[in-house]
Structures are given as structure tokens and as C-alpha cells.
Amino acid sequence: MANIKWVYGFNEVEAAEKQVGGDWEAVRALMGGKGANLAEMTRIGVPVPPGFTITTEACNAFLAAGEQFPEGMWEQELEALKEVEKETGKKFGDAANPLLVSCRSGGKFSMPGMMDTVLNIGLNDETAKGMVKLTGDERFVYDAYRRLVQMFGSVVLDLPGEHFEDVIEKAKKERGVADDTGLTAEDWRAITERFQAIIEKEAGIEFPQDPYEQLKLATEAVFASWNGRRAVDYRNAAGIAHDLGTAVNMVTMIFGNMGETSGTGVAFTRDPAAGEKVLYGDYLINAQGEDVVAGIRNTKPIAELQQDLPQAYAEFADICQKLEKHYLEMQDVEFTIEQGKLWMLQTRTGKRTAQAAIKIAVDMVSEGLISKEDAVLRVEPGQVDALLHPQFDPAAKAAAGRLAKGVNASPGAAVGRLYFDADTAERMAREEGQDVIMIRPETKPDDVHGMLAAKGILTSRGGATSHAAVVARQFGIPAVVGCDQLEIDLEKRAVKAGGTVLKEGDYVSLDGATGEVFGGQIPTVDPSFEEQTDLITLLGWADEISAQEGIRDLPEGSPTRGLQVWANADYPRDARRARTFGARGIGLCRTEHMFFEEERLPIVQRMILAKTDQERQAALDELLPFQRSDFEGLFEAMDGLPVIIRLIDPPLHEFLPSYEDLLVEMTELRLDAERGKALPSETLASKEALLNAVEGMRETNPMMGLRGIRLGIILPGLIEMQVRAIFEAACNQALRGIDVHPEIMIPLTGHVNELNAVQPQLQEVAQAVMKEKGTEVEYKFGTMIEIPRAALTADRVAGVAQFFSYGTNDLTQMTFGYSRDDAEAKFLLEYVEQGILPGNPFQVLDRDGVGKLVAMGVKLGRQARPDLEVGICGEHGGEPSSIEFCYTAGLNYVSCSPFRLPVARLAAAQAAIRRPALVV
Amino acid sequence: MANIKWVYGFNEVEAAEKQVGGDWEAVRALMGGKGANLAEMTRIGVPVPPGFTITTEACNAFLAAGEQFPEGMWEQELEALKEVEKETGKKFGDAANPLLVSCRSGGKFSMPGMMDTVLNIGLNDETAKGMVKLTGDERFVYDAYRRLVQMFGSVVLDLPGEHFEDVIEKAKKERGVADDTGLTAEDWRAITERFQAIIEKEAGIEFPQDPYEQLKLATEAVFASWNGRRAVDYRNAAGIAHDLGTAVNMVTMIFGNMGETSGTGVAFTRDPAAGEKVLYGDYLINAQGEDVVAGIRNTKPIAELQQDLPQAYAEFADICQKLEKHYLEMQDVEFTIEQGKLWMLQTRTGKRTAQAAIKIAVDMVSEGLISKEDAVLRVEPGQVDALLHPQFDPAAKAAAGRLAKGVNASPGAAVGRLYFDADTAERMAREEGQDVIMIRPETKPDDVHGMLAAKGILTSRGGATSHAAVVARQFGIPAVVGCDQLEIDLEKRAVKAGGTVLKEGDYVSLDGATGEVFGGQIPTVDPSFEEQTDLITLLGWADEISAQEGIRDLPEGSPTRGLQVWANADYPRDARRARTFGARGIGLCRTEHMFFEEERLPIVQRMILAKTDQERQAALDELLPFQRSDFEGLFEAMDGLPVIIRLIDPPLHEFLPSYEDLLVEMTELRLDAERGKALPSETLASKEALLNAVEGMRETNPMMGLRGIRLGIILPGLIEMQVRAIFEAACNQALRGIDVHPEIMIPLTGHVNELNAVQPQLQEVAQAVMKEKGTEVEYKFGTMIEIPRAALTADRVAGVAQFFSYGTNDLTQMTFGYSRDDAEAKFLLEYVEQGILPGNPFQVLDRDGVGKLVAMGVKLGRQARPDLEVGICGEHGGEPSSIEFCYTAGLNYVSCSPFRLPVARLAAAQAAIRRPALVV
């Protein structure tokens, strides 16, 4: 151990690199982020106050040995201090020309809850007097001294901060002044003494006058704070490993408060809000670093430093350029100017808004700083999403009173008046031109017309994949769902949230990105995709990267070698939007959504309630033209690209009134009749017939009931009509010169024999239509893989299906046995909170379980059919981590709602660049 | 081809064996079952009429060549005929001493739809005259001749049989006689001529006078009939390969109708009904074979042949002995005696009842004929099942009028009066002592008291694993479920089936083994297990075999190397029954069933509706003694054996009134209130509170909702109470000297973290109780594997769980995405009917999908924990094919309802003997 180097001067970064084998990440792990950056700046010639770093390894050794410094460490620390003395020409503990240092912790990752900073180490009663002589500024010196004692007490000895603050408050009161600046040198000296007495009383030790003792205790305190409760809790929550340890940095004190040629500031090398290439920050003349942050005095914009201290400004601007070129990233820096001399105290990658992240990445490519791949990796997919939805003005939102918080189901800001049912919501929006927020305990398919007319959707039940959430995301409508603090009273048309009661017509504001609900109207800003030229540029690069990428382990003959991004779109208008947003195909068109439209629903109900095959066929014949015309629009919008159309999926009772409503109505009618109220006799009979029909269709677990291909087998006329409509539309458009690529998707297959039972029949319909129309179109028949058994037997299924599309919503339901209508509210969110699940598997694909089935299905399927086209059309298709998984599992495309396309295109390209290994 | 031997004399079986390499199955494939057995009898010296077989290979060659005999075949057939002439001393086509033969088809498997038999080939106008001279019996000869012509026309030429029957009918009318015996020689001659004319008219050919032409056409006709429509349909339905081909047997005609020393009969070598070792059959003197079967004359029991023809009888009895010793199986034989000389015409394995199968198998072991393994393989597990349930008297059942047919959910016969709800059913049974059939559209857990009091259960909804079905099988109560031809009117307390209406109190009879429902009372017979000594002997051997078996591919340290049979039992009385039926442990005790008992349910409801933790804990404290006393009984009954107790599984709303009922009640109360009817105000309020509570607990898909371990995590007090009750009971009994082995099973695990969240807590409870009681008991904690994800991640789950028990009911639901409450009635039975599924996967485990998950889970689980105990406790644990799968997958035990134990023990032993390979 004696031979181990525990301490590195800021000018020894090469030695550290050598120690860890030249890897910069390893240097950061050894010296901590702050220490590594200070050393790195030193290496490239940026002025950094002399200092040194005690490594994270020393911390770990200290903790492992029961809080004992490892052998040789303290000696190395003293040695390093001597080097600093040499460089600065000052001497630690020397009253004549004292060296003061700050002690700062700094691990690999920035971490609240760790011991932070102790300033002015080296001051004691003697050196303080020396400093007074040296600077002639007694007030400055005793202010500095009391800061040391105060920080030592609160930070090193962990005494409550109030002990010290109370003293200052009392002093100010006695002096009759409002703030610290009113206190004199004498006051600070008295306060310093008082602080020392507090330490003696509360911690039972004397404030150490020996500077080396100060140094040692500060070092120990930083090390020990790694295992403090707050730090451990934070690491548990943030998923940071407990064995990293923290480094300790000892940095020569620089004083920005030594007169009008001194100052201090923080700045970004580019505008972190808009991304423009201008210095962005604030500074103060004659002040210390914490004063800038504390907001005690009004800071000046960084540009004005050019007037105040032109030379220092010029040097600072050069250094910023230099740092950007060196780090190839926008930097967030701290600096201090001591009597005209500029010192850099910190540099790190700067945080930025989504818009800035994109602009900076794109600009840096133009500037030749980074590659397109780098640019694509620089932007978090989640940031992009926020850019496409209306957003609240941040200041106005911060000022607004929050009423409740629910599940952040669909991002974006929405402001409007509350309406409690779909019909009213639609009427108010369409006829009165109001901005509407539709509020319901939960939504159902027949609420869709109201939802589509609304600016936002609010429910008190359901989770992130409830009907309300899915529809909202599909159409890019902001939504907060499962907001169980709301007590909705549908009868009274009112909702209670905490103490507040809102009535129908009252304004609310929803933030779908955070799940927050506010009373009243918060101003919003509404972005447009077309105007976001930087984003469009970046996504163009992303697509290039995804398309170039051709070395995934896919069999020869696979339809695409990169991961494409397609869209889920049910209507022509969605398809057009999807194309604008860069979709390479439609991965899912849900044909049943078309059935809910107002003029069609009665026909659908007639079809369902038909008593004879003839009646049923008549209704189907009426539906066909509607479906055909929708498909014609889709094909036109997607000219040249594939369009996957899923045959009807939901159980039929979704198209009928609810059983419970009918039951109540029927009971009322029955009691009326019993009490002799005259009723048209057919009212009771027809209501009873409807009730019986709905009862006959009820299912205990409809999710696992008669729907999808099961319905197609029991009621073949319905899907035959759909296939006829698809091919009539395709042929009509082909004859008009449109390049159509229909792919018919059969939902809910669990056994290959289900496909065997319907697919040949449907293919006959397709052939018949093409013959009638006298033209041929290319087409495929394929299936959703959403039942575990289909994935387990994918080799057999692929013997019949020409393509697979993973319906990971249902696959997640079945694999976990979680009903997505119930689980989130009943236990799933609780599971996530308790850490039983790492996340909500309906949002982020569960790789260990569901992912294993997906990967197994891809492998088995391609064994049977090497050119099998495989995609995903569940909610996960728009979620970055899930997209990465899809890439590794060898899928050909992900399909997501149009608004998620930019996110997905970026995530797909990032996966292509990172090439993670498949681990299931 | 010319060198191929196409034709084998009955005395050439060695040559056939040599040809196919000595394998008897291959001889049967080559010569067909009938031909092979005739040849085999010839070899062992049993008198068989001389004859020969034309092989199935010849048939296949004939069909492949476009219905041309293969080269050399016809020559070989003529050659073989010459051999027969030599042996019999007669000559084919010789008027002086004509040889007549019958032509009979016979493939490897007996097959209706094939051309069957043509008798008397060789007769023509000339040989007929010769026969008359020879026998002096003109009537006999022309009756024989007309039979040849008739069969030739209908069988060889495929003319409609009525053409010929009409002629006979007309002749009888003209003669004024009632049956064939009234027709004279002259009549038969005229009829023969008439038949020949019909052939000429209808088929356009002359009836061939050339006997060789007859022979050739008959041979061709048998071959061609292999591809006839009826034969092809039959093979498709029965799963017989189409490339087997049929053989043709030409057998010298023997006449049992040549006077009082002639006769014919059919017999079994043992009693096929009771299994006694006595000859069992019928015969007729002076008759032909078809007369015995046709039932035209009254046959005599075979024993009387001893008086009629003592020498022939003695020879026949010897031959039967000889055949049994040779085939080592009870035989079903046909014989003819021609003028005192006995000829055997057929022998084959005889069909028998379940009881006979068991007795014969056991007797044959005592007689030293077969081994115990053979005996175990001789009995179909399904047959054993039938023996343990009451059965209808077959004749009475045949005479009864069937009302409807549903799903055969739980075997056994039941007779009783219909009652339409559980309370009435229970009252009528308990107070009035009536035999009750409880009828409901479907049943729910709170119907169980009525079901337990009933003799039989009848529902119009639900399938083979509906609540009604599962409970019925569990308790061995006969049940017919999902009988959708029944229209149940609960208001009118009546049920309509077709035209019949039955009212409350009317008698019905159910056959749970067939799913049939009859009006009125059919007499039943009620077997007892203890009295079935042969069955007990056989099952003892089965257990020996299962236990000896020790070479399955299981890791060292596995708890058992053979497949054991355990039982699902919730109550001490079930456990005692299970022990009687041979259970080696309890694989599943469903603790929640105890909650439904009358005095406990109100406490359970109080626990569920508790508003405070205190209220809830108070209710739990009240429940604990009930649970403890149930467990004490279980441990006592299973002294020395493991008892797996599953913690609460169903969602809580199952213990509350139904939402729909409450909704109707509430609507009624509301309307009453609106109309000013005076109500105690708390009635409305408390009903509303209950409705709200139930509504709050409602789930869209309860099967995938808040239940099992999820409920345990959300409501930890409940399962802690259960674990406390288990350990208090175990310790109490251990202190009394009982050897207890509790194993606590956690249901519905999907993620190992769920176990991590509850198991340590529960183990603490266990430790605490043992400390309180001052004793230690051995125990295990384990989990159900019923969620696909648990099987997919079984390695992680086994890191915590000490045992797995596959809940294949739920695993089948999730893997297929089939709700078992809905699927069977809505589409599953239709799927089975259409052949989309090979069977109902809730009855027979689906090896390709569910089985793949099971096998994967076993493998992964044992990787993590080599001594992992793995069993199955779903319905499949009592089903033979599923048990075979469990054996191959390496499970340690199957657990089934007590009544299925004999079936399962037999099936387990059969798997151990057959050792099938694992194919998933």
C-alpha cells in the first residue's frame, strides 16, 4: 500500500492516466469529476489555482480500514501541499503569507447529500492576523475566518446550521441592520469567537487552531460522508454503485472580493436555453462565488464584463473556446478574478433545454467539432418529445397553484374548460369554439369523439396505458390519467380536488408531461415541427445512420437491415402527419376505430345484433363503403410505402351500451311497469332484448375473450368484408397510379391453426377482388404476436404468416398476467414505488420476461422464414429503451404514434450507433 | 417386381416374418390384422380353413400403377389357390367337387368403410349344380349362390343394396311368407337369376361365370376400396395413415349350416364384463356366422355347446386356452363347425369393461402369463376413473329420453330434484334429506355450500374448468356444465330443454362422464374403492414401478427420482380420502375456500371492508383460530407426509355480493326513496357504501388483477395471519407427536422481487411462532408458477423459492390468452370441433406452448437450485397425457383431486414404463 499513489497534483493528470491505463472515464473514477476536470484544464494551459486531489481509492481504503487513512496517504497529502506552497509562493499556516485552501468533495457522479465544501482552510487566530496585515482589510479576513469556523462546524462536525445562523441573526438585530453587509470587522471577529464556543459546547472539541488538523479533519469528513445516510439514500434512488468512493480536492483559495479588479461568475459557453453560440452567464465585481448563486446582489450579464475588465474578459472568452474545442461539448464554467488575474475553478458539461441540445448538436457538426453520430447521441430522445407538444410558460406554471397530480399519460400542455361527458365536450368545442378539457372517471371507445374534440383529457382512473392514455398519445392530445385525488361527481357535474371544487365550464390547465393539474389558465407556447429546422436536420442524420447500419445479425434476405420507424395511424389525417414526421410505413391501422364514428356505429350495432345471416350480411354490405374509403385515403397518404391494416380486434360488446347502464335502465322500467305507469310495451321488450344480447356477450375477462382472430373465426363475414374493402381500396388507388403496399394483419393468433383456418379464405377474397378490378397489387398476410403461445411456437406460426408484428401491450399483459385496465391503479404503480419492478412494464419493455419471448419469437420465426418481416406496434414502439431492445432483437421496424416518430427515429439511430448486445 | 412375394399362404407366416425382419407389427402391416392372425393360428396348430393373403404392398403397388396388379401377383395368387386345392382336395371351378372361398379385406387396423366380405366365390351355374349333387341340399346351394351374386353386385360392383333386397321382399310377399326361411330352393334359384339380370342392367356387365374372373374382380375391388370416399373419410377422422394399404384374404368356405353337427359362434376367452376366467359367448347349431350376429334366431350360451357337441366344445376350449397363452391377452374369437369339424375363423384382442380390464390384468399376473408392468399398461387410466363414480344402469340409461348434452365436467351418475339456488339446494338436502341437483346458469364461490350438499351440478354456462367444474371434480360430484341448450329462468324457477319444461323439485339424471342430461330418475350403481381389491392390487404395482424408476434425467439431490402422486385437498376430510386413495402428500390446499364457510364469511367481509388497520387486524385475529383448526386437521390426516398450503389467491371482491345485484337493489331503493316511500335512512346509506366498496374493487379482467401475491403485498396482514395460523397448527401437532411437513406456497408470482418483498417477512413470522411454541418444524417456502413470466425467469425465482408448483390452469390461460370463464362457451369448444386445437388445453396440457414454458421453467429452476422440488397442481395433474408430459419434464409429483388419484397413479406408472422422450 505504501507504494500506491493516493494523491495527484492538478498538474499530474498524465500520471493518473498512466495509472488507470489512459482511459478518461477511469481518470474521472479515480479523481472524481471535479478533480479530473481541474487537472485536465491545468494540462491544457487553462489557469487553475494550484491544488491536488486525494483519490476515490484512498476513500475506499479509508472506509474499508474502519475510517483510517491508508498507509502513506497523509504523507502524500502533505507532500502535495508543499508543491502547492512552492507554486503559490505562500505557506500553509504561516502568519506572514498564509496559504489558504478550500476542500471540496467530488465523486465520479455529482451527488447531493455528500459533504460539499469547506472554504478558507488554513485560517486560525494567527494567520488571520497575518492576513489582515497582508490585505489591510480586517472585515474581509474575519468574514473569511467565521466562514471557515461555520463550515467546519456545520459541514465537518455536522452540527445544525441554525446554531450559527441564529448568532448572525442576533448580531444583525443588535446592530439594527438588515443584511450581512451591515456587519463590521469587529462584529465578524466576535461572531467567529462565538462560533468557536458553539463548536466547543455542541461537538465537545475545540476548533482546531492547527491548520494541518483542519486539513486532516476535513479530508476525513469528506471520506466519511460517502457512507452518510443521505448519500446512501441518494445512491439507492439514483442507482449509483456504492463502491465508487469520493475524491477530495484541495484548491488554493482565490478571492474575488478583493476590490474592483476582482470578481466572480458562472457562465455557459453557449446559450443553454436557445442554443445560440454566445457566452451566457452572470458575474459580480468584488464578490465571492457563493454570492452569485445566492442572489443576494444583482448580477450582471457576462457580456458587460468586457467593459468592466476587458483583459480578463478576453482571456475568459478564449478559454471558453478552448474548453469547448477540448471537450467538444458546451461547458458550464465557474471563474474568479483576483486583482485582475483570471482563475478557472470548474468546468463541466452544461445542462440545456431540449431546443438548445438540438441546436448545439447541429451547430457543432457544422463547426466541424463533432460527427453526425456524436450529434445524434447528444440529444436525449425524451427531450425531443417535449418539443412537439404545447408547453406552459415555465414562470407562469411555477406561479400557478397545483390542484392534483396523476399519471403523465400524454405529454403537452393543455388549457380549457372542464366538461364531464363526450357529447358536451364535443358540442362545446365544435359549436361554441371553446377550448375543452374532457374529464371522466375513465374513458371508453364511445367517448372518442369527445376526446378528439378536446385540448386535453383528464381521468381519475386508469394508468399509462388505459384507454384514455392510449388514445391521447395516439392523437397527441395532452392527458393526465388515474388522478385519484380528484373526486368526480358526474351527477353534480363537479370535481373536488383537495379543498377546491371545480364546476362544469371552469378552466383548468394540465401538464401531460408531468401529470400536474392546475386551476385556471396558464399561458402556453405551441411549437411547430416544420419550423424546427435543426430538429429536422438532426433526424435526417438519424435516419441516414439507421439506414447505413447493416451489420446486425440478421439472415440474408431480411427486408431491412437497419431498424426503421413506422407509425400507428387509423385515419388518413394521421397518416399524413406520420409522413411529415418521417414514418417509413404504417405499422398499425386499427380498423375498428372507424366503427365508432357517429354515422357508422348504428350499422355496426345492427350487424352485431343481427338475428339472421342475411341481416348481418346486409349490415356488413353497408359498412364496406365506409371502410373502403378510409383505406383509400390511407393508401393515398402512404403512396409508395407499406400499410399494415389490422383486422377487427376488440370484443363486439365494446360497440354496444354498457351492461350496467342497461341494467339500471331496465330496473327502472320494470319498477315503472310494476307501479302501473303506462309504457309503450315495445320499450320494455326492446330494452330487455338489448340487455339480453349484451348479457350474452359479456365476459368475465374480456381481454382474454372472444376478440381478434377468435371473432374472425366465429364470424367470418366480418373480416371477409374488411379484406374486401382493403383490396377494393388498394386496387382503386393502384388504378389511379398510386403505389400501394397493403399488408393484412390478423390479431391475437395463439395457434398456427387459427391462421390456417382463416388466411386461405381471406386470400381467396383478395384474389377475387383483384380479378374483379382487373389489376394486381403486392400484398402480404401476417399476424400480431401478442399471445405468449404465438411467440413460443413462432416457427410454426411463421410457416403461414409472412410478417410478425409484436403487440407488446397485450404480450406484456399476458406475460405478467397484468390487466392493463386494472393493474396500474390497483398495484402496479405501488410495485414501481416499492422497487419490486424497475419500471412500469407497459411503458418500458420488460427485457427479462417479455423481451425473452420477443427474442425467442424472432429467432424461431426467422428459422422457419428467413425473410420474415418483424416489427413492433405496441406502445413500446415509441419508447427509447424499448426501441434499443427492438434493435438488438433484430426487428425490422418499430411503429409508434405519429407524435412519437421523432423520438423513435432518434432512439433507433442511437441504438444503431451504440450496438448494445442482446441479453435476455 | 417379379421377384417380390405378393401372396402368402396361411401356412407361410415364417416367410412373411423373414421378409419383414421378424417384427410382428410389421407382419401385421404386411398381411393385415386378420391375415396375420389366421396365419399365426395356423402356425401354432389351430385349425384354420386353408387360404392365403395378398399383401398390403400388393395393394399399394396396384393403386400406384393406376389399378393394375403388380407383375407376378396374379400368377402368385393362382399358385396359392392351387396349394389350397391340394390341402382341401377340392378344385376351384370344378363342378364335381368345387372349392369355394370367401374374400375378406383386412388392413393393419380394422376399418369401417372398406369393402368387407364376398362369400362363396367359385359358385356358378355349373358348380352350383355340382354342389347340389354333392350335398343333396338344393335350397342350401341356391341360397349360397344368390348370396355370392348379391354380394358381388353390392360390394364388388357397388350397386345399391335395395335393388337386391327389393327382389327378396317381393318374393316373400308373393309366397306369403314372413321371412327368408319360408323361401324354397326354387325361389332362391329364381332370385339368383333375377340378381344376375339386375347386375347386367345396372352395372352393364354379365355376372362372371368364370370363377377366376370372380376371384380377380373381388381382389381388385378390395384394393380399390382403400381409396373409396368412406374409407378415406374414416382414416382422416381416425388419424390413420393413407399409405398403409389393405390386404386381401381368400379363405376356404366352411359351412356351419350343413345340419345338426354343424354350427357357428363368437366368444370371448374370459367374461368381458366382469373379467372372470370363463368362456363367454353364443353359438347356433346349423347356422352361418352372420346369423349369430344378425339376431334372427335365438343364440345359446357357449357353455351349452358342451352338451350339443362335446368333442367340438372340448377342442374349442383347448384352443381358447392356447390362444390366450400365445397372445397373452383375452381373445375375441369366431368359429364354425362343419359336420363336426371345428374351424377357427378369427381371433383378436377382446374389448372389455373397465372392471374386466383390471381383473383380467391382475389375474394374468397371478397366472404367470404377464408381468406387473404389462398389467399396468393393459388398463386405460380413463377406465379407472369411471369405476370410482356412481354409474347408471346401462339398459335403463339407453331407454331414457335425453334432454340435452353439455360439457362432461366431472364424471359419475347423479339423480335428484332440481333446485335453482345454493340455499334452497342445501336446505332441501340437509333438512328434507332429498337428493338434490343444483342448477344455475353458472356458479360462484358463494354457491359452494349448495354444491357440496348436492348429488350433481348442472350449469348452462362455463366450460370444463369453470368454477362449477373445478369444484365438482375437487369433491367428486358429478357435473354437466356449459349445457347451452338449457334455458334457465331463475325467476320462474324453471328450465326449458327443447320442448320440455322442468320445474323446481322435478327429477333429472346427469351423466357427468358423457355430459348427458335426462328427465326423471335412472337407477344407478355406486362402487366403493375399498372393495375394489383388484384395482387396489394394480395401483400398488403402479406405485412400486413409479418408485423403482430412477433413471430420469434429474440432477443429484432431487427430492424424488420417480413421479409421485399427491392430492389437492382443502379440508381434513378430503385429506383423509386422499390418503385412502394413495396420495403421497398434499400438493395444494386452497386456504381461501375456508373463508366461504357460513360463520366465517361475515368476518372475512368485515376484514375486507375495514376502514382502519385496527378494524382489519381485529377481523384477522378472529379468522386465525378457524384457519389454525383447519390446518391442524390437515396435518393430522397427513401425518408424515408433506402438506403444501397456498396463501390466499382470489381477488377480495369474490367474498362480497355481486356488483350487478347491488346495482339493481340500489336502483330499486333509490326509486322507492324518490317516490317518497319511507325507508330507514341508513338502509340506503349502508347499501350505497357497500356498492361503492364493491365498485372500488371491481376489475375489468379480475383474472389478471389484484390477487395472489399482489394482494399479499398490498395487504400484508392477511397472509401474515395465514402463515401464523399454519405454524401455530404445525407446532401444536408436532407437540402432540405428529410428524408435520408444512410447505407454504405463494401464488401468482411473476417477478422474483415479489417473493423478495414478502417471503423474508413471512419467514420471520414462522420463526416467531416456533419460538413462542418452543418447538421447531421442518418447512419450505415456495411459489406457484402460473404466470408465463415466472417460467421465463425461473432461474431467478428459484433463487428465492424452495419449491415450484405449476398452476397450469392459470398458466394455460395466460399462455393462450384464454379466459377460462369465457373461452369454452364462446369459442374454445368450437375450436376443438373445427380441429383448430387438437383438444381442450384446459383438460389436456398443451405441450407445444404451455409445456414449453413448463420444461423451460424446470430447467432454469434446477440450474439455480438443483434440489428444487417441482410439481403440478392444476387440473392437468389428474389427466393421463398431461401426467406423461410431467414425467418427461422431470417433475417430482403431480397433484390432483382425491378422486383422480387412482387414474394419476396408473398414468404415472405407465409413463415410467414407456419412458417417452421430451419433445417441446
Side-chain angles (χ1 to χ4, degrees), chain B residues 442-457:
Chain B
E442 64 206 341
T443 65
K444 285 189 309 174
D446 55 8
D447 293 327
V448 170
H449 62 289
M451 299 166 76
L452 290 179
K455 294 283 175 197
I457 295 159

Side-chain angles (χ1 to χ4, degrees), chain A residues 176-351:
Chain A
V177 298
D179 54 76
D180 294 9
T181 49
L183 295 175
T184 65
E186 192 45 46
D187 292 334
W188 286 126
R189 180 148 57 185
I191 287 170
T192 304
E193 277 166 19
R194 189 77 199 92
F195 282 1
Q196 293 188 355
I198 287 171
I199 284 177
E200 201 166 340
K201 182 175 167 226
E202 299 292 333
I205 62 163
E206 272 186 46
F207 172 77
Q209 288 291 323
D210 177 1
Y212 290 98
E213 187 65 16
Q214 294 171 5
L215 191 73
K216 196 175 166 199
L217 288 172
T219 307
E220 284 177 356
V222 172
F223 281 169
S225 73
W226 178 257
N227 278 344
R229 207 176 59 83
R230 287 194 308 275
V232 171
D233 286 351
Y234 180 83
R235 289 198 297 274
N236 280 337
I240 296 175
H242 292 295
D243 61 356
L244 295 177
T246 181
V248 179
N249 302 292
M250 297 295 180
V251 193
T252 303
M253 284 298 304
I254 305 294
F255 295 97
N257 53 349
M258 292 186 80
E260 292 308 305
T261 59
S262 297
T264 190
V266 295
F268 291 85
T269 55
R270 305 194 183 213
D271 180 346
E276 296 297 327
K277 198 179 178 211
V278 290
L279 287 179
Y280 181 101
D282 309 281
Y283 74 101
L284 280 171
I285 291 295
N286 196 15
Q288 277 202 301
E290 55 200 89
D291 302 335
V292 178
V293 184
I296 301 170
R297 289 161 55 187
N298 282 336
T299 58
K300 295 173 157 185
I302 195 76
E304 293 184 17
L305 187 63
Q306 198 158 14
Q307 279 83 54
D308 284 345
L309 296 168
Q311 205 179 337
Y313 178 82
E315 192 187 356
F316 177 70
D318 279 353
I319 286 170
C320 286
Q321 285 272 25
K322 191 172 190 169
L323 288 173
E324 269 207 351
K325 274 203 181 122
H326 183 71
Y327 287 105
L328 304 174
E329 249 297 17
M330 186 262 262
Q331 296 294 299
D332 167 1
V333 299
E334 295 175 18
F335 65 93
T336 292
I337 301 163
E338 187 182 79
Q339 298 178 324
K341 165 73 182 148
L342 173 72
W343 298 96
M344 299 301 291
L345 298 183
Q346 165 110 316
T347 190
R348 57 185 172 187
T349 299
K351 297 204 189 307

Side-chain angles (χ1 to χ4, degrees), chain A residues 660 663, chain B residues 656-664 691 694-695 698:
Chain A
E660 289 77 8
L663 195 61
Chain B
L656 299 177
S658 98
Y659 178 75
E660 289 77 9
D661 291 350
L662 288 170
L663 195 62
V664 170
L691 180 68
V694 173
E695 185 172 21
R698 276 183 98 198

Side-chain angles (χ1 to χ4, degrees), chain A residues 461 659-661 663-665 667-672 675 677 695-707 709-711 713-714 748 750-751 753-754 757 787-796 813-823 826-827 830-831 834-838 846-850 852-853 856 860 920, chain B residues 442 461 659-661 663-665 667-672 675 677 695-707 709-711 713-714 748 750-751 753-754 757 787-793 795-796 813-823 826-827 830-831 834-838 846-850 852-853 856 860 920:
Chain A
R461 292 200 212 119
Y659 178 74
E660 289 77 8
D661 291 350
L663 195 61
V664 170
E665 280 182 60
T667 306
E668 290 171 349
L669 285 174
R670 184 167 50 73
L671 289 183
D672 282 346
R675 290 186 176 95
K677 187 167 164 186
E695 186 172 20
M697 272 179 236
R698 276 183 97 198
E699 291 176 312
T700 313
N701 299 285
M703 193 56 73
M704 304 198 287
L706 182 60
R707 61 189 194 95
I709 191 171
R710 302 166 191 174
L711 190 57
I713 287 171
I714 300 297
L748 218 69
H751 195 292
N753 283 350
E754 295 178 302
I787 296 289
R789 197 180 184 286
L792 290 163
T793 60
D795 45 350
R796 296 176 206 195
Q813 293 201 90
M814 307 293 174
T815 304
F816 275 90
Y818 291 168
S819 164
R820 80 180 177 203
D821 295 313
D822 307 308
K826 299 272 176 191
F827 62 87
E830 177 78 20
Y831 267 29
Q834 287 194 27
I836 292 171
L837 292 179
D846 159 56
R847 297 189 186 196
D848 294 341
V850 179
K852 197 171 198 171
L853 277 181
M856 190 185 295
L860 290 172
V920 287
Chain B
E442 64 206 341
R461 293 201 211 117
Y659 178 75
E660 289 77 9
D661 291 350
L663 195 62
V664 170
E665 280 181 60
T667 307
E668 290 171 349
L669 285 173
R670 184 168 50 73
L671 289 182
D672 281 346
R675 289 186 176 98
K677 185 168 166 186
E695 185 172 21
M697 271 179 237
R698 276 183 98 198
E699 292 177 311
T700 314
N701 299 285
M703 193 56 72
M704 303 196 290
L706 181 59
R707 62 188 194 97
I709 192 170
R710 303 165 190 173
L711 189 58
I713 287 171
I714 300 299
L748 217 72
H751 195 293
N753 283 349
E754 295 178 303
I787 296 290
R789 198 180 182 286
L792 289 163
T793 61
D795 44 350
R796 295 175 207 196
Q813 291 200 89
M814 307 294 174
T815 305
F816 275 90
Y818 290 168
S819 163
R820 79 179 176 200
D821 295 314
D822 308 307
K826 299 274 179 191
F827 61 86
E830 177 78 21
Y831 267 30
Q834 286 193 27
I836 292 171
L837 293 177
D846 159 56
R847 298 189 184 196
D848 295 343
V850 178
K852 198 172 197 169
L853 277 180
M856 190 185 294
L860 290 172
V920 288

Side-chain angles (χ1 to χ4, degrees), chain B residues 293-309:
Chain B
V293 184
I296 301 169
R297 289 161 53 188
N298 281 337
T299 58
K300 295 175 161 184
I302 195 78
E304 294 185 16
L305 187 63
Q306 200 161 9
Q307 277 83 53
D308 283 346
L309 296 168

Side-chain angles (χ1 to χ4, degrees), chain A residues 357-367 375 534-535 537-538 541:
Chain A
I358 293 162
K359 176 156 181 55
I360 292 170
V362 170
D363 284 354
M364 282 191 166
V365 174
S366 323
E367 294 162 25
D534 288 321
L535 176 57
T537 304
L538 187 77
W541 296 340

